[in-house]
Amino acid sequence: MIWDLHCHFPGFGGRTPEEAVEDMLRLADRMRIERFLLYMGERFLHDPTEAELREQNDWVLRAVARGRNRVHGLVYLSPAHMRTSLAEFDRCVRDGPMVGVKLWVARRCREPEVDAIVERCAAQRALFFQHTWAKTTGNLPGESSPNDLAELARRHPGVPLVCGHTGGNWTLGIRTVRSLPNVSVDLAGSDPTNGFVEMAVRELGADRVLWGSDAGGRSWASQLGKVMGADLPEEDKFKILGGNLKRLLTPILTAKNLL
Amino acid sequence: MIADTNVTLSRWPFRRVPGDEPEVLVAKLRSQSVTEAWTGSFDGLLHEDIGGVNERLASDCRKYGAGLLKPFGSINLRLPDWQDDVRRCHERFSMRGLRLHPNYQGYGLGGAPFIELLEMATERKMLVQIAAVMEDERTQNPLVRAPLVNFAPLAAALKRVPEARVQILNSGRLAPQLRQSLLAAGHVYLDIAMVEGVYGLVRLLEASPAGRVLFGSYYPLFYLESATLKLQEAGVEGAAREALLSGNARALMAALQ
């Protein structure tokens, strides 16, 4: 069972969300990916306006509707537009089919505004996903590092949070969130460097490691190779490739009759 | 049967890597049906005793992977008398190719030494591999940063030595326009280790002349399965699969005979 935590439209074919999701499903079948989470729209917007947030989420809603229960959406929110973000949460998650939240690089997630988003996720048992990187070349002004996520996680110790990309610089990211049991790490969107998954399991335990790809910008193959090639027991690989994500999503998928 | 053109022995300078013990590396390659591996040394990035690096590489390839590991010696064009390293690689160790890391050693592809190296390698019927990048710039140690190699001067160099055979390793981050101009400029070959995107390999194969794309995994720094799964993702089958996995590499070596 392979469930992908982390997919986007760019890189896939199709001019509409419906065409794109058909292309995704065709390729997913080839790689034996059963389900995937999709978020953000046809192009990447670092600091979207309120209208752009709604448009981005509309694209995902259309794809989810076409996705034959294999495509689940995360709503794209921005702490720069809290009123709209909370309204989008209600439209897309509380009252709609989406199953969680994606925050990207508009504002760092240690900002106090983000607390309200985390609380909404907790109330709906929705997944909270935060992009993080710790770039040697320097982060964007609003780009969260694993340290920012750790600060947020300490304020919400009972809420599961996902550390997107494991901070990119994963040897640092893993250490940064190691002491925070409510934080899981996302393997997506970095080079398939050997030893990444083994270190994550060694330091965090297999239950806190989630496979994501960052397709279509990343190759599904290169990202699957991280787990397929890891020197780990098959039961750990099963958890990482989908078991853990299914466990985290089961409450909200059950509530929405999507399991 | 796979000819992997991008394998490396010894230690990555910044951490231990699963598979960096030669016995483990060889066992992994064999388990994935790799029958030939063009093998360089991580020591070639930063060590200055390149003669020692190449001697160890030749010895380890023989000791641990005879018939499987084909040593490709390191050459640092900033070192005095690097020409003798080329001679030793060819005459003493019978190497079929050389591997360069210009971005870790501080030279470019536009100078006279690089032209001289191409001439020497061509005369000796050796392939020249140039590693475009070894690690994502965003994750490099902040005190040891190595940007993507500037390949813009390579086209002019190939016009000076038109019979040279050059393979760019880890070429996935080259701008497509530059990559195409290099493919058109001479006998330039690529590998697939850092090709990214769900359509990355499909597009690379469509854009490249026949025979120019070779299998390369960048194992052990990358998971080997990352490369093998790309053929499944791209739907490469039949003769095209055989060519990519081994036929193109064999043809390149035959052209150098």
Side-chain angles (χ1 to χ4, degrees):
Chain A
M1 180 188 73
I2 303 177
W3 286 25
D4 187 348
L5 167 70
H6 193 150
C7 292
H8 304 295
F9 286 102
F12 287 99
R15 293 159 300 174
T16 66
E18 292 80 10
E19 289 179 5
V21 87
E22 292 296 340
D23 190 50
M24 292 172 186
L25 289 168
R26 186 179 59 80
L27 282 176
D29 286 341
R30 188 179 284 173
M31 303 309 289
R32 301 180 182 171
I33 294 167
E34 191 178 312
R35 299 193 188 200
F36 53 88
L37 302 191
L38 181 63
Y39 28 100
M40 303 161 68
E42 63 176 324
R43 57 204 168 101
F44 292 124
L45 299 170
H46 285 173
D47 195 1
T49 65
E50 295 175 357
E52 286 169 337
L53 274 179
R54 285 190 286 267
E55 287 169 15
Q56 294 249 311
N57 293 325
D58 284 344
W59 265 69
V60 175
L61 286 168
R62 287 171 61 183
V64 168
R66 186 64 167 260
R68 299 189 281 283
N69 210 26
R70 294 178 59 192
V71 184
H72 303 295
L74 300 188
V75 65
Y76 181 25
L77 305 181
S78 166
H81 307 295
M82 278 307 296
R83 195 165 61 180
T84 297
S85 286
L86 295 178
E88 282 294 279
F89 182 93
D90 290 347
R91 177 174 79 103
C92 298
V93 179
R94 188 193 66 188
D95 305 328
M98 294 201 197
V99 298
V101 164
K102 160 67 183 271
L103 296 183
W104 198 27
V105 297
R107 298 291 185 275
R108 290 163 66 184
C109 65
R110 69 167 61 220
E111 300 297 328
E113 291 82 2
V114 178
D115 289 338
I117 296 172
V118 176
E119 288 159 9
R120 294 256 171 149
C121 284
Q124 297 294 320
R125 307 291 299 275
L127 193 71
F128 179 94
F129 181 101
Q130 173 64 58
H131 162 103
T132 69
W133 259 89
K135 295 173 181 162
T136 302
T137 49
N139 278 16
L140 296 165
E143 187 170 25
S144 298
S145 72
N147 280 319
D148 293 310
L149 184 70
E151 171 66 29
L152 182 69
R154 279 189 280 271
R155 300 204 300 260
H156 301 276
V159 182
L161 307 177
V162 179
C163 180
H165 307 290
T166 318
N169 216 325
W170 47 267
T171 49
L172 301 178
I174 290 168
R175 295 177 66 89
T176 305
V177 302
R178 182 166 55 187
S179 65
L180 298 160
N182 58 323
V183 177
S184 299
V185 296
D186 157 43
L187 300 177
S190 54
D191 283 342
T193 41
N194 198 353
F196 176 5
V197 187
E198 290 91 331
M199 180 182 170
V201 170
R202 186 186 76 221
E203 297 296 328
L204 307 175
D207 290 342
R208 289 172 62 190
V209 182
L210 306 172
W211 180 69
S213 66
D214 214 356
R218 285 282 176 176
S219 154
W220 259 327
S222 78
Q223 304 300 300
L224 276 170
K226 291 176 179 173
V227 184
M228 304 289 194
D231 184 16
L232 291 170
E234 287 303 313
E235 64 189 84
D236 286 355
K237 292 184 181 183
F238 179 84
K239 290 178 179 177
I240 295 165
L241 285 172
N244 291 334
L245 180 58
K246 184 177 183 183
R247 186 190 76 241
L248 288 170
L249 291 177
T250 289
I252 194 165
L253 289 176
T254 303
K256 293 179 182 297
N257 201 25
L258 295 172
L259 195 58
Chain B
M1 192 169 69
I2 298 175
D4 190 338
T5 66
N6 188 357
V7 170
T8 313
L9 279 177
S10 196
R11 302 281 189 266
W12 175 241
F14 304 101
R15 65 182 171 86
R16 292 298 301 272
V17 175
D20 64 9
E21 295 286 359
E23 302 96 324
V24 178
L25 177 137
V26 165
K28 177 72 175 187
L29 292 173
R30 293 197 196 283
S31 77
Q32 297 293 306
S33 304
V34 175
T35 54
E36 179 172 336
W38 301 356
T39 306
S41 172
F42 285 127
D43 296 345
L45 272 67
L46 299 173
H47 289 212
E48 292 187 335
D49 177 13
I50 287 293
V53 168
N54 291 333
E55 192 168 294
R56 283 196 305 280
L57 174 66
S59 171
D60 286 346
C61 286
R62 218 174 26 246
K63 181 176 177 184
Y64 297 103
L68 170 67
L69 302 179
K70 311 291 186 190
F72 275 46
S74 294
I75 303 296
N76 180 346
L77 298 183
R78 287 179 65 93
L79 292 177
D81 198 24
W82 59 263
Q83 295 88 342
D84 196 55
D85 292 320
V86 176
R87 184 190 63 75
R88 289 190 212 183
C89 286
H90 180 231
E91 296 177 10
R92 187 181 300 178
F93 304 125
S94 303
M95 293 179 178
R96 303 296 312 279
L98 304 167
R99 191 173 289 181
L100 309 185
H101 300 285
N103 52 344
Y104 283 84
Q105 295 160 1
Y107 64 87
L109 306 183
F114 180 67
I115 301 288
E116 185 182 352
L117 174 90
L118 283 184
E119 289 171 342
M120 286 186 73
T122 304
E123 186 181 339
R124 292 167 184 271
K125 303 185 185 308
M126 299 176 87
L127 173 66
V128 176
Q129 293 184 322
I130 307 171
V133 66
M134 298 295 277
E135 185 183 8
D136 187 333
E137 286 185 64
R138 298 172 298 175
T139 62
Q140 292 174 357
N141 183 301
L143 298 180
V144 190
R145 295 173 65 175
L148 181 71
V149 170
N150 176 16
F151 282 94
L154 179 59
L158 290 168
K159 288 203 174 7
R160 300 270 300 274
V161 193
E163 291 307 310
R165 259 63 175 183
V166 174
Q167 185 185 13
I168 303 175
L169 302 179
N170 302 338
S171 63
R173 291 190 173 88
L174 262 64
Q177 196 174 0
L178 173 61
R179 184 190 68 205
Q180 292 310 114
S181 72
L182 295 175
L183 286 167
H187 300 287
V188 172
Y189 299 78
L190 309 170
D191 81 337
I192 66 169
M194 286 196 181
V195 172
E196 275 296 349
V198 289
Y199 285 109
L201 181 55
V202 170
R203 291 188 179 125
L204 178 64
L205 292 172
E206 287 173 353
S208 303
R212 300 292 192 89
V213 181
L214 315 182
F215 183 87
S217 67
Y218 196 29
Y219 181 75
L221 199 63
F222 277 13
Y223 291 104
L224 180 53
E225 288 78 356
S226 161
T228 54
L229 285 165
K230 284 176 185 169
L231 279 77
Q232 179 181 334
E233 181 174 54
V236 179
E237 295 173 342
R241 180 180 177 86
E242 191 280 331
L244 178 51
L245 285 178
S246 63
N248 294 343
R250 280 201 310 269
L252 169 55
M253 277 301 149
L256 282 164
Q257 295 286 2

